[in-house]
Amino acid sequence: MLEKAQQLKQQFAEKVSTATSPAELEQLRIEFLGKKGSVASLMSELRNVPNDKKKEAGQIINEVKQFIEKNIAEKGVEIAKLEEERLINAAEDYDVTFPISEEKGSYHPITLVQRELEDIFAGMGFSIEDYDEIVDDYHCFEALNIPKHHPARDMQDTYYLSTNQLLKTHTSAAQNAILKKYTSELEADRPIRVIFPGRCFRNEKIDACHENTFFQMEGVMVDKDISISNLIYFMKTMLSEVFQQDITVRLRPGFFPFVEPGFELDIQCTICGGKGCPSCKDSGWLELCPCGMIHPNVLIAGGLDPEQYTGFAFGLGLTRLAMMRYGIKDIRVFNSCNLKSLSQFENATFTQPEKEVK
Ligand code: FA5
């Protein structure tokens, strides 16, 4: 047994010294330590060893096994280090005479639409705010009149962190902080007018118009005597400026616990012209911008007196707006990193679809 063990050790040492890649190392591990490997077969020979020698033979095999395990681990580290050095050297090994590409980068279509909207709203006196992507339950739900166990939470399942925080499901998660931050505007007899774009995350079944990571742009306006008419005026202005021509929209009742009354503002699908296609789930319409009058409980949570102030809020689906603006048929293009698709929109203008759309 001792002799066989020594031979095995010798055999392994020779092979491992010539291994140069993780794949070769894995092959060696299977050959020597696998279920049907050399160590296992040596182990099976233990039953032929006399009882009084079994313990000693077992120890010898274990030592060989440990030797092989240790050497495989050390060789793995060595190979990884060599590979790292090779990559560094390859990176330094460039040709200074190589012609430089004249190709320019481009902005992501979401960035383009976001900037366009920021300009439009800035022109109407709105400030622009940025907000965290990781938030707590209070800001994402409770401050928005969505207590624990409220069914409205089912629509917004998200990714929870071990810190009790979560990835925000909607830009409304910033409403509470924005209302508190801008209280001084009301004290100075000026309205609160703020937009806050941001990335949102949901545990979503992905299709041509649903992503798990998408962008929204929230807006709030609060003052004395703000009404639904103000809300409709701002929505209309925004859409006509983005599309630079008439587009068909519809306003219908919608339920969100943080607004009362609440509405869904849908846009007729610009991909199919309202006929129905995968981009609009065959309905001809795309939910674009839910909105409504801010619920008194939300104003109270933001430190405002609902007897004195009223306001509207909207949560524009920025990613979907970019789809409609640029005629992008599938929402998955945005996160695809496919530069060929993403880099073609910088100078694009909006065109109504042809009559026949496949
Ligand atoms: C909300 O997120 C509300 N916070 C909006 C709101 C704000 C209502 C203020 C009232 C007042 P909703 O879940 O419907 O609502 O999402 C708003 C918009 O985000 C949708 O109309 C859609 O355009 C976009 N959206 C929602 N989920 C996705 C998704 N999975 N992929 C792409 N866009 C999405």
Side-chain angles (χ1 to χ4, degrees), residues 159-175:
Y159 304 88
Y160 286 83
L161 312 183
S162 54
T163 52
N164 266 341
Q165 291 168 301
L166 48 115
L167 300 188
K168 77 167 179 246
T169 56
H170 51 175
T171 39
S172 305
Q175 272 195 27

Side-chain angles (χ1 to χ4, degrees), residues 113-114 117-118 121 171-172 195-198 200 214-219 235 238-239 242-243 265 267 287-291 313-322:
V113 169
Q114 180 177 326
L117 283 166
E118 286 175 357
F121 278 101
T171 39
S172 305
I195 53 164
F196 30 108
C200 307
F214 57 95
F215 284 80
Q216 287 184 345
M217 179 179 279
E218 190 97 353
M235 295 297 93
M238 178 264 293
L239 288 172
V242 168
F243 288 99
L265 189 143
I267 177 173
E287 280 178 19
L288 185 68
C289 188
C291 49
F314 61 88
L316 177 71
L318 206 54
T319 308
R320 286 202 188 150
L321 183 66

Side-chain angles (χ1 to χ4, degrees), residues 236-289:
K236 267 186 153 176
T237 309
M238 178 264 293
L239 288 172
S240 60
E241 291 218 23
V242 168
F243 288 99
Q244 292 290 315
Q245 56 188 287
D246 279 347
I247 39 140
T248 315
V249 295
R250 70 177 183 192
L251 197 65
R252 58 192 168 91
F255 174 71
F256 301 91
F258 36 97
V259 285
E260 179 57 38
F263 306 99
E264 286 281 5
L265 189 143
D266 303 333
I267 177 173
Q268 192 172 67
C269 180
T270 58
I271 307 284
C272 63
K275 286 185 164 185
C277 68
S279 311
C280 59
K281 276 195 159 175
D282 290 319
S283 70
W285 296 92
L286 212 68
E287 280 178 19
L288 185 68
C289 188

